[in-house]
Amino acid sequence: MRAISFYKTDAGRSPVEEHLESLSDAQVTKITWVLKLIRESENISTKYFKKLVNTDDIWEVRIRVGNNIFRLLGFIHDRKLIILTNSF
């Protein structure tokens, strides 16, 4: 099992949480479902979670809700902690 955390600035802001707060309930529900899948599953489809090519270990969570695609970016710390830093 992995842990997922949202990055917070020194001032206490969380860009990911701020973005999620601007979304509809249906969008947040789907994003939450994908994050739970990533947290609990050993083998995750690259449809939802993958390392971005030509980056220094930046990982992407990708969620499609209707015609919208949401991307959460972050990195893996100590192999079992995913820290998400950005969302759009």
Side-chain angles (χ1 to χ4, degrees):
M1 181 181 257
R2 295 171 192 84
I4 297 175
S5 179
F6 298 150
Y7 169 78
K8 289 191 185 257
T9 66
D10 289 338
R13 288 187 56 236
S14 172
V16 175
E17 287 178 1
E18 290 173 7
H19 182 241
L20 294 177
E21 288 171 0
S22 73
L23 303 177
S24 73
D25 289 346
Q27 292 167 329
V28 172
T29 298
K30 178 76 180 269
I31 291 169
T32 302
W33 179 83
V34 171
L35 292 176
K36 183 178 178 185
L37 178 75
I38 292 168
R39 192 179 72 222
E40 296 176 355
S41 300
E42 283 299 317
N43 297 316
I44 306 157
S45 169
T46 57
K47 173 180 173 182
Y48 298 119
F49 187 62
K50 67 180 177 182
K51 181 184 174 294
L52 294 179
V53 178
N54 297 324
T55 68
D56 290 331
D57 292 326
I58 297 174
W59 288 76
E60 173 190 52
V61 177
R62 189 177 192 95
I63 305 107
R64 178 181 292 272
V65 182
N67 291 328
N68 297 311
I69 296 176
F70 299 100
R71 298 172 69 197
L72 289 74
L73 304 178
F75 59 94
I76 298 176
H77 179 72
D78 287 339
R79 297 173 28 133
K80 290 290 183 180
L81 173 62
I82 300 167
I83 300 173
L84 298 174
T85 58
N86 300 294
S87 177
F88 54 95

